[in-house]
Amino acid sequence: MSAEAEPTFRDLGLIDPLLRSLDELGYEQPTPIQAGAIPPLLEGRDLLGQAQTGTGKTAAFTLPLLQRLDLDDKSVQAIVLTPTRELALQVAEAVRSYGKHLGKRGVHVLPIYGGQPIHIQRNALQRGVHVVIGTPGRVRDHLERKTLSLGGVRFFGLDEADEMLKMGFIEDVEWILEHAPDDRQIALFSATLPRPIRRVSERHLHDPADVKIAHRTMTLPGTEPVSYTHLTLPTIILPCRSRWSPC
C-alpha cells in the first residue's frame, strides 16, 4: 500500500471530539494496528489482535470504546482487564486523554487493582463510572461483592492476555467473561497466542476480526539488531512507519 493511500484517523470513522484530542496529543496517522482494529471495533465486531507493546494497541481499542459510550448513562459500560496495576493506570490515563472532549464533563474512568483499599474503589463506583480498567482478580472481587455490575457492560477489552496467562489470571478472566451479557463486544489483544489464549478466543469471541502485527528482525552493518513490523490482514499487508504514537 502506498504512503498516499494510508488512512487518516478521520478515514477510520472516528468522531470530531476524539479527532480533536488526537490532534492535541500530536497523533498524525494511525499505526497499522490502529488502522486494522478501529473500523471493525466501531462496527461492533469482536476482535483478536496480535501486537506487541509499543505498536499503538491502546488507542486501537480505547478509541472505539469511547466512541460507543452513552455518556448520559452513568453505569459501567466498558471493562478493560490488564495484567498489572501499572498497565491499568496507563490505560486509564489514555482513556481520560482521548475522551476529554466527549460530552460536557468528559468520561468517568476508574482504575481498580489490588493494594488499594477496596472501599475507595467502591465509593467511586457508587458515584458513577463509564469505564473500569482493572486487574482480573480485583474486578472479580468487586463482582462477587456486588459492588460492580456487568448488567450495563457492552465492551470488554483484554489487554496483554498472554501476560495475564503467565501471571495466573486466566481463570479470573474466564469467570468474568462467563458472567458477561450475551450482547457484549470483546477485543482481545496479545503479543503471542498460546493455546490457552486461543481457547479463550474460541469460547468467548464471536466471528472476530483478526488483526496481526508480524515481527521480523534485521541487522544492518555496524548496528544493533532492529525490529520492524507489518500488519497482516486476510488480503493486504501494511508496512509500518518508523514513528509510533505514544500508546
Side-chain angles (χ1 to χ4, degrees):
M1 181 178 287
S2 66
E4 290 76 16
E6 290 178 346
T8 65
F9 283 107
R10 184 175 296 277
D11 293 333
L12 300 183
L14 295 173
I15 57 178
D16 285 340
L18 296 176
L19 295 173
R20 179 181 173 189
S21 296
L22 293 175
D23 184 62
E24 292 174 353
L25 291 167
Y27 286 41
E28 296 176 353
Q29 283 186 311
T31 65
I33 190 66
Q34 293 161 6
I38 289 174
L41 287 176
L42 286 177
E43 293 172 359
R45 292 189 62 187
D46 287 354
L47 184 133
L48 177 62
Q50 188 172 355
Q52 302 282 341
T53 298
T55 55
K57 62 181 174 60
T58 300
F61 67 85
T62 55
L63 289 169
L65 174 164
L66 285 164
Q67 184 154 321
R68 293 169 60 84
L69 289 177
D70 177 2
L71 296 183
D72 293 329
D73 181 355
K74 293 185 179 180
S75 65
V76 176
Q77 299 168 51
I79 293 178
V80 177
L81 301 177
T82 69
T84 65
R85 175 187 66 180
E86 291 76 17
L87 184 56
L89 291 169
Q90 176 185 322
V91 174
E93 182 56 34
V95 170
R96 291 191 188 99
S97 297
Y98 300 147
K100 64 182 178 180
H101 296 302
L102 290 172
K104 295 181 179 179
R105 299 182 180 179
V107 176
H108 297 290
V109 56
L110 178 68
I112 61 174
Y113 46 83
Q116 183 183 52
I118 200 164
H119 73 271
I120 295 177
Q121 299 168 1
R122 180 195 64 217
N123 293 341
L125 288 166
Q126 290 175 344
R127 289 192 295 270
V129 173
H130 298 116
V131 182
V132 165
I133 318 290
T135 51
R138 180 52 65 97
V139 170
R140 179 173 179 174
D141 192 2
H142 276 285
L143 291 170
E144 291 179 331
R145 291 170 181 257
K146 310 297 184 183
T147 51
L148 173 62
S149 171
L150 297 181
V153 177
R154 295 295 175 263
F155 179 91
F156 289 87
L158 310 182
D159 196 7
E160 298 192 3
D162 53 350
E163 290 301 315
M164 288 192 277
L165 172 65
K166 291 177 184 177
M167 297 175 72
F169 293 144
I170 205 67
E171 180 180 338
D172 291 331
V173 171
E174 290 261 43
W175 186 92
I176 293 167
L177 294 179
E178 286 168 0
H179 288 78
D182 292 336
D183 58 347
R184 78 287 181 273
Q185 179 185 22
I186 298 177
L188 188 159
F189 283 85
S190 188
T192 61
L193 294 175
R195 185 59 195 160
I197 299 301
R198 290 190 179 276
R199 282 199 298 267
V200 171
S201 171
E202 292 164 0
R203 186 175 303 167
H204 298 287
L205 275 63
H206 305 307
D207 187 26
D210 193 346
V211 181
K212 179 180 180 182
I213 298 290
H215 285 252
R216 296 178 181 175
T217 301
M218 65 179 179
T219 304
L220 301 176
T223 69
E224 295 295 323
V226 297
S227 295
Y228 65 97
T229 63
H230 63 267
L231 170 66
T232 303
L233 291 172
T235 57
I236 61 172
I237 295 178
L238 295 175
C240 78
R241 297 168 296 285
S242 60
R243 182 179 178 186
W244 295 107
S245 300
C247 290

